[in-house]
Amino acid sequence: PLRIFSGMQPTSDSLQLGNYLGALTQWVALQDGNEAIYCVVDLHALTVAPDPSVLRERTRRTAAQYLAAGVDPERSTLFVQSHVAEHAELAWTLSCLTGYGEAARMTQFKDKSAKQGTEGTTVGLFTYPVLMAADILLYDTNRVPVGEDQRQHLELTRDLAQRLNARFGADTVVVPEPHIVKSTAKIYDLQDPTAKMSKSAASPNGLIELLDDPRRIAKRIRSAVTDTGHEIRFDPEGKPGISNLLTIFAALTGRSIPELEADYEGKGYGHLKVDLAGVVVDWVTPFQARVHEYLDDPAQLDDVLEVGAGKAREIAAVTLERVYERTGLLARR
Ligand code: TYM
């Protein structure tokens, strides 16, 4: 079995469809036959300076959405990053191995810091990918299921792992590989199908939030921007809008794109959009009911997270001790 690790930031009240299709469905699939560890990365969320009570609520909501999507705490470890102190501790060690220029080249950092200006950009935002590397390396992770936008962070993680091994011994940490499923690695904005779907998009209408009112979700799909022409064909270059809708349709129904193309031959864009709106609503409605069941019992949810943190800590402590010892820190007695 492989060790699987991944996480999401609790930075909004609801996950969006890109999080679900790009990552969460893979998390659920990878539970079979592997040892999976899934984390709500609340320390990462501090980079957006959230209101304390909002952050706490969003941490629970994010965990509830993992569970509702099918993360099974009987088989997988589910926990909150700040409950395992080793994350922040290993991050410091790794930051001392990360080049300043190397961190400054991260495109997500460049984009976000450009928006916020020098004064608004924190050191936390700068070292964010180093904390992410610590998350992954602490668990001797083999595979990290993420969307395309995390590829560069995974490259940095691999570089840091190789550097640790070169300096302190070949088996200091496991060098992880990204698990990025091509077909769903980048779900696009419904209003701007050349940009990835994201909560920070220009127009809210391009975004499908999993916990939004199903009627609004349906409306956003029906008013998705489509392309010139009328043929329903998968062609990401020439027809990015329709291709994105076909990707979503296929991923949610398990049907293949050629099959969908054949089904919609001679039919208009409107037809596809109405059908897809139905597919999404039929999926999201029971999903929302499950999320609310978990949220209605926060004590039980906190119990699940406590058990998960205990299991995570056992693994993390061993890795951190090994790294500390090899880097020359005097052993605690
Ligand atoms: P985050 O919270 O921004 O996103 C969570 C996951 O969703 C994927 N994703 C998408 N996939 C396809 N299409 C989209 N439009 C789309 N939008 C988001 C992301 O690729 C991600 O897999 N840095 C990470 C969180 C993190 C992490 C980690 C991940 C922290 N530590 C350790 C893996 C391992 C992030 O900001 O994801």
Side-chain angles (χ1 to χ4, degrees):
L2 298 173
R3 175 68 55 71
I4 313 295
F5 182 93
S6 199
M8 295 194 191
Q9 297 194 72
T11 42
S12 63
D13 289 341
S14 172
L15 297 179
Q16 42 98 351
L17 194 58
N19 300 139
Y20 177 71
L21 295 179
L24 205 38
T25 51
Q26 305 308 324
W27 296 13
V28 172
L30 286 166
Q31 294 180 109
D32 283 327
N34 294 305
E35 222 183 300
I37 303 177
Y38 299 125
C39 184
V40 180
V41 293
D42 57 343
L43 295 173
H44 278 104
L46 293 179
T47 56
V48 300
D51 178 84
S53 63
V54 171
L55 175 59
R56 232 181 319 272
E57 169 67 13
R58 287 176 171 174
T59 298
R60 285 208 186 95
R61 288 173 81 92
T62 303
Q65 290 173 86
Y66 293 178
L67 291 165
V71 169
D72 173 7
E74 298 288 316
R75 289 188 292 158
S76 303
T77 299
L78 168 58
F79 75 106
V80 174
Q81 188 185 31
S82 63
H83 294 179
V84 180
E86 284 82 357
H87 290 251
E89 295 179 292
L90 183 62
W92 173 256
T93 309
L94 294 177
S95 70
C96 296
L97 290 166
T98 309
Y100 181 87
E102 194 175 29
R105 276 195 296 279
M106 293 292 116
T107 54
Q108 284 208 345
F109 171 73
K110 287 198 284 186
D111 292 347
K112 289 184 183 172
S113 58
K115 273 188 202 147
Q116 292 165 6
T118 319
E119 289 309 312
T121 299
T122 63
V123 174
L125 192 65
F126 187 62
T127 58
Y128 176 113
V130 179
L131 178 59
M132 176 166 165
D135 298 340
I136 296 166
L137 299 183
L138 267 182
Y139 298 97
D140 290 333
T141 302
N142 303 107
R143 298 282 185 281
V144 185
V146 286
E148 181 61 39
D149 62 348
Q150 297 301 313
R151 188 183 290 280
Q152 194 188 30
H153 290 160
L154 256 298
E155 272 309 313
L156 176 69
T157 304
R158 287 171 55 82
D159 289 345
L160 291 174
Q162 280 156 352
R163 204 167 299 160
L164 266 177
N165 288 344
R167 292 228 350 223
F168 304 111
D171 51 357
T172 303
V173 290
V174 171
V175 181
E177 283 175 32
H179 176 91
I180 300 175
V181 174
K182 198 161 176 276
S183 55
T184 49
K186 192 169 180 184
I187 301 298
Y188 293 88
D189 187 290
L190 299 181
Q191 289 298 315
D192 174 9
T194 60
K196 79 167 177 189
M197 185 179 285
S198 136
K199 57 189 166 268
S200 51
S203 154
N205 293 329
L207 180 67
I208 299 298
E209 289 181 300
L210 304 183
L211 299 181
D212 199 0
D213 181 344
R215 283 167 302 188
R216 182 153 58 194
I217 292 177
K219 188 155 174 256
R220 287 186 181 176
I221 291 176
R222 287 196 309 265
S223 45
V225 162
T226 38
D227 318 289
T228 51
H230 53 265
E231 201 189 342
I232 294 176
R233 183 165 43 83
F234 187 75
D235 171 8
E237 294 277 303
K239 289 175 170 277
I242 282 297
S243 300
N244 188 40
L245 298 181
L246 285 170
T247 297
I248 295 169
F249 205 134
L252 284 178
T253 58
R255 299 174 65 195
S256 76
I257 298 230
E259 204 184 308
L260 291 170
E261 286 173 329
D263 261 22
Y264 285 93
E265 206 186 318
K267 295 179 184 160
Y269 290 164
H271 203 127
L272 177 78
K273 290 200 267 188
V274 167
D275 289 354
L276 178 59
V279 164
V280 176
V281 167
D282 286 350
W283 176 79
V284 96
T285 305
F287 174 82
Q288 293 184 355
R290 290 193 296 274
V291 171
H292 290 298
E293 264 174 49
Y294 289 114
L295 291 177
D296 283 345
D297 195 348
Q300 203 199 327
L301 186 58
D302 289 355
D303 284 346
V304 168
L305 296 172
E306 184 187 346
V307 170
K311 291 197 279 179
R313 222 175 277 128
E314 272 178 36
I315 305 170
V318 173
T319 311
L320 187 73
E321 192 178 275
R322 187 171 68 236
V323 173
Y324 270 15
E325 193 265 321
R326 293 196 181 189
T327 47
L329 300 173
L330 184 64
R332 300 181 244 217
R333 309 186 47 185

